[in-house]
Amino acid sequence: MAMTGAQALWEALVREGVTDVFGYPGGAILPAYDAMLGYPIHHVLVRHEQGATHMADGYARASGKVGVAIATSGPGATNMVTGIATAMLDSSPIVCITGQVGSKLIGSDAFQETDITGITLPITKHNYLVTRAEDVAGAIREAFAVAASGRPGPVLVDITKDAQTGSCEVDWDATVPQLMETRDDAMPGDGTAAEALALINAAERPLILAGHGVMLSGAEREILALAEKARIPIAVTLLGIGGVPASHPLNLGMMGMHGEAWVNTAIQEADLLLALGMRFDDRVTGNLRTYALNAKKIHVDIDRAELNKNVRVDVAIAKDLRVAIAEWLPGLAPNARAAWHAHIDELKGDSAVRDIQNLPDNGHLYAAHVINDLWRLTDGNAVVVTDVGQHQMWEAQYYKHDTPRSLVTSGGLGTMGFALPAAIGAKMACPEKEVWVVVGDGGFQMTMCELATAVQEGLDLNICIVNNGYLGMVRQWQEFFYDKRYAATPITGPDFVKLADAFGIFGRAVDRRSDVEDAVQAARRHHGVSLIDFRVEQEDSVYPMVPAGADLHKMIRRPSPIVETAAD
Ligand SMILES: Cc1cc2nc3c(=O)[nH]c(=O)nc-3n(C[C@H](O)[C@H](O)[C@H](O)COP(=O)(O)OP(=O)(O)OC[C@H]3O[C@@H](n4cnc5c(N)ncnc54)[C@H](O)[C@@H]3O)c2cc1C
Ligand SMILES: Cc1ncc(C[n+]2csc(CCOP(=O)(O)OP(=O)(O)O)c2C)c(N)n1
Ligand SMILES: [Mg+2]
């Protein structure tokens, strides 16, 4: 049956199981929007195309499905760039569809023409410029396969206006994607299960470094089987949070720049690191020249390019993590490793970093209290979507995630403005879940226009603004490393409660610890969007901290018991 390229686009999306797309129309994508009305796909009208990409990304991270964003050519497409890069850095599968000027106009500086495939080449897993109607369906189906397979990531499909309006016959059997794995034999990754087992079984002080790949490969059960059978403690990356339950006795907590001091010390003292689905980001390793010098290292990653990239390892295995661990389990020797666990318990005992929770209410509202109360009041069951900054680190430290995909956060690109739109995507993907946005006063102001999107969609969404009147994470660096010269970090904002009112949503401001619980419960009871403006201590800092590039074990610790601030 003949159809237009625009119809082939939606038909292909329906066949991929897509039910929701996030987008914004314009001239070059109008034929596609017109055809959309004939298909059972819900379109979420965003307020800025960056929001569409973060929504698709949040949708993907919360559900494991591929998220879809759609925009017009030129400014619509370029507005997507930040969201695409965000998804790329964190291996999140999204498909972005853009309209393009007519194929005959390409290269003529036509109205709203940008070379979006050129622009996004380094920040997509793959991209396509489709100029003929008959190529639309195949490109879309391949885009989904590329986005979701192997190491997930963003794919962009740019479709010219004439490819949308042109007519085609689609042989759907012929559009089944045929992906071929190209392999460079010079790349590392051919380590064997036997080599890994020899190191694991001989280790006295092994430590698992569990990353985002645990959830991307669905290896949550396997990693626990490995840890429990061989009694190996686990440290998680920021993006690995939730892959191993926080309450599991073998889970020591987060590693890295703002990780737990005992975790970083254990890494430096370990005799074996098992890096599983993580990529040794510099926020994780600190100074590479002094990183885990006592440890042999096993690295499993589905992407060969990650192996021996930042950290040279003894056994490099390019494989899906779930498959790799399953191969190890039968040959794994049970081992209590009592001395190692006793030592780690000692390291933990020495750390006062979480003592803030035990302090009596001294009249100050600390962000850590707010997050910890949020965890307690939601029974740890919420999907929390954070922005970037101090509040993001406090969330990682004080909200204990026991379930996979319950923390959605921008790690690699660290994109301020991510949280609200990503949470909209997460809520669309998981309508039955309680979703909380944890966002700074700075980042919220970057994409707060998406409040209107959440309202138009009738979403039940909760927003916790950690309002410290600063671009707090940058202020903290200025405090520690620039002599408290606060250049361009004090930031004002609107009256967020009045803003909530203007959007027709529930709003409340809290500046006392004793009011936190009531406000959180009121927001939870409210059906619709709720916003709480938590006016927290202005100059609090995130501890502990490894200064950028410093040795992992040389952390700045919280001055005891708590820093009193300039605002006191
Ligand atoms: C302000 C700020 C502070 C930060 N501080 C910290 C910190 O203190 N600690 C910290 O950990 N992070 C921190 N980060 C985050 C950090 O920048 C990285 O994003 C994070 O460490 C990456 O975690 P990851 O390697 O597990 O995930 P990713 O970067 O997503 O990497 C996942 C890896 O898994 C692999 N993979 C994917 N699928 C599979 C599969 N099926 N099988 C096997 N492998 C697979 C991928 O190829 C990739 O190499 C911070 C970020 C910000 C913005
Ligand atoms: C788009 C973007 N611009 C700049 C930065 C650099 N940056 C990282 S954290 C931060 C401060 C964030 O302030 P806020 O949103 O108020 O959160 P807080 O740190 O105060 O919790 C800035 C400016 C960034 N990560 N992203
Ligand atoms: Mg702030």
Side-chain angles (χ1 to χ4, degrees):
M1 193 186 73
M3 56 173 69
T4 63
Q7 288 172 318
L9 162 66
W10 295 105
E11 176 74 31
L13 292 175
V14 169
R15 284 169 182 260
E16 291 298 328
V18 173
T19 52
D20 303 280
V21 301
F22 306 93
Y24 208 88
I29 194 76
L30 255 182
Y33 268 85
D34 185 62
M36 178 179 81
L37 296 177
Y39 292 85
I41 289 185
H42 176 67
H43 179 270
V44 176
L45 179 66
V46 303
R47 296 302 184 270
H48 186 292
E49 292 85 350
Q50 180 186 351
T53 50
H54 292 328
M55 286 178 209
D57 188 347
Y59 185 97
R61 295 190 204 212
S63 67
K65 294 190 273 186
V66 176
V68 183
I70 180 164
T72 193
S73 65
T78 54
N79 274 352
M80 288 180 138
V81 167
T82 299
I84 295 172
T86 304
M88 184 71 177
L89 267 280
D90 288 350
S91 297
S92 184
I94 64 172
V95 170
C96 296
I97 297 155
T98 45
Q100 181 55 281
V101 301
S103 56
K104 295 204 173 50
L105 294 174
I106 284 181
S108 72
D109 295 334
F111 178 64
Q112 296 195 327
E113 181 191 1
T114 52
D115 175 9
I116 196 62
T117 45
I119 290 171
T120 58
L121 190 68
I123 53 166
T124 48
K125 226 180 134 180
H126 194 52
N127 65 25
Y128 302 80
L129 172 59
V130 181
T131 57
R132 302 186 316 170
E134 57 264 42
D135 295 334
V136 170
I140 292 292
R141 299 194 77 179
E142 200 171 285
F144 274 76
V146 171
S149 65
R151 177 178 186 169
V155 179
L156 180 128
V157 186
D158 194 28
I159 311 175
T160 60
K161 202 163 180 182
D162 50 326
Q164 296 169 51
T165 52
S167 176
C168 60
E169 294 272 350
V170 183
D171 173 356
W172 291 100
D173 292 334
T175 62
V176 175
Q178 311 281 339
L179 298 187
M180 282 197 305
E181 201 185 336
T182 52
R183 251 202 73 176
D184 178 350
D185 284 336
M187 301 270 278
D190 294 329
T192 64
E195 287 166 341
L197 278 170
L199 292 184
I200 298 170
N201 289 340
E204 288 174 11
R205 298 184 309 280
L207 185 61
I208 291 172
L209 307 181
H212 193 193
V214 173
M215 286 173 279
L216 292 172
S217 76
E220 294 91 346
R221 246 193 307 205
E222 286 73 10
I223 200 166
L224 281 187
L226 165 70
E228 285 169 1
K229 186 168 178 192
R231 297 273 301 147
I232 306 176
I234 306 170
V236 295
T237 65
L238 176 69
L239 295 186
I241 286 176
V244 177
S247 59
H248 193 284
L250 288 171
N251 187 347
L252 304 179
M254 189 168 82
M255 67 186 90
M257 179 176 274
H258 292 293
E260 309 291 359
W262 61 81
V263 169
N264 288 346
T265 307
I267 288 172
Q268 297 297 62
E269 294 184 0
D271 66 356
L272 175 67
L273 292 182
L274 292 92
L276 306 180
M278 56 82 76
R279 61 181 176 84
F280 289 113
D281 185 273
D282 53 72
R283 291 286 182 268
V284 158
T285 60
N287 182 1
L288 282 168
R289 278 200 297 274
T290 58
Y291 180 71
L293 296 179
N294 303 313
K296 293 224 181 295
K297 298 172 189 84
I298 300 169
H299 192 183
V300 183
D301 199 293
I302 202 160
D303 183 355
R304 282 177 191 269
E306 289 297 343
L307 300 167
N308 287 336
K309 186 181 84 175
N310 296 336
V311 172
R312 190 149 281 280
V313 300
D314 300 278
V315 180
I317 301 177
K319 212 172 247 187
D320 175 69
L321 183 60
R322 190 150 73 104
V323 174
I325 302 178
E327 286 174 4
W328 299 349
L329 290 174
L332 196 64
N335 185 338
R337 299 195 160 91
W340 179 222
H341 288 281
H343 179 61
I344 290 175
D345 283 344
E346 257 172 54
L347 292 175
K348 263 191 194 180
D350 148 65
S351 176
V353 68
R354 299 288 165 264
D355 271 0
I356 186 170
Q357 285 311 316
N358 297 323
L359 293 176
D361 187 351
N362 60 357
H364 296 263
L365 183 62
Y366 294 99
H369 287 146
V370 173
I371 306 284
N372 211 241
D373 283 348
L374 190 61
W375 166 68
R376 199 171 44 81
L377 296 167
T378 56
D379 296 321
N381 285 328
V383 171
V384 184
V385 185
T386 84
D387 216 73
V388 171
Q390 291 184 310
H391 63 280
Q392 178 188 29
M393 294 297 106
W394 281 316
E395 200 287 342
Q397 294 176 340
Y398 291 98
Y399 197 105
K400 307 289 173 194
H401 290 269
D402 274 344
T403 47
R405 301 184 181 279
S406 63
L407 171 60
V408 174
T409 192
S410 165
L413 201 67
T415 305
M416 283 173 70
F418 173 81
L420 176 60
I424 291 172
K427 184 67 186 180
M428 298 287 301
C430 308
E432 72 293 351
K433 299 215 171 124
E434 179 176 350
V435 177
W436 277 85
V437 175
V438 171
V439 61
D441 47 327
F444 186 67
Q445 293 186 66
M446 283 196 168
T447 53
M448 64 187 180
C449 55
E450 302 301 347
L451 279 176
T453 308
V455 172
Q456 187 165 352
E457 290 300 316
L459 295 184
D460 187 0
L461 198 65
N462 307 291
I463 301 163
C464 155
I465 302 180
V466 177
N467 182 358
N468 53 11
Y470 279 101
L471 298 174
M473 185 54 94
V474 180
R475 185 211 60 75
Q476 174 169 344
W477 283 49
Q478 290 170 331
E479 176 187 330
F480 289 5
F481 313 117
Y482 292 86
D483 258 351
K484 288 199 176 184
R485 289 155 59 84
Y486 292 162
T489 45
I491 185 170
T492 62
D495 179 329
F496 289 115
V497 176
K498 282 192 180 152
L499 185 83
D501 194 39
F503 280 96
I505 66 176
F506 172 95
R508 173 95 55 103
V510 172
D511 53 16
R512 286 198 312 218
R513 189 171 182 203
S514 51
D515 293 338
V516 173
E517 174 160 351
D518 191 58
V520 169
Q521 296 298 27
R524 297 182 76 210
R525 276 194 306 274
H526 178 77
H527 295 294
V529 183
S530 315
L531 177 159
I532 313 175
D533 174 13
F534 288 103
R535 296 169 183 172
V536 299
E537 199 63 11
Q538 293 206 299
E539 294 182 53
D540 195 6
S541 290
V542 181
Y543 295 97
M545 177 178 187
V546 183
D551 302 345
L552 194 60
H553 53 286
K554 293 189 182 149
M555 304 189 80
I556 304 173
R557 307 291 285 272
R558 179 178 282 281
S560 187
I562 199 157
V563 221
E564 297 302 334
T565 71
D568 285 338

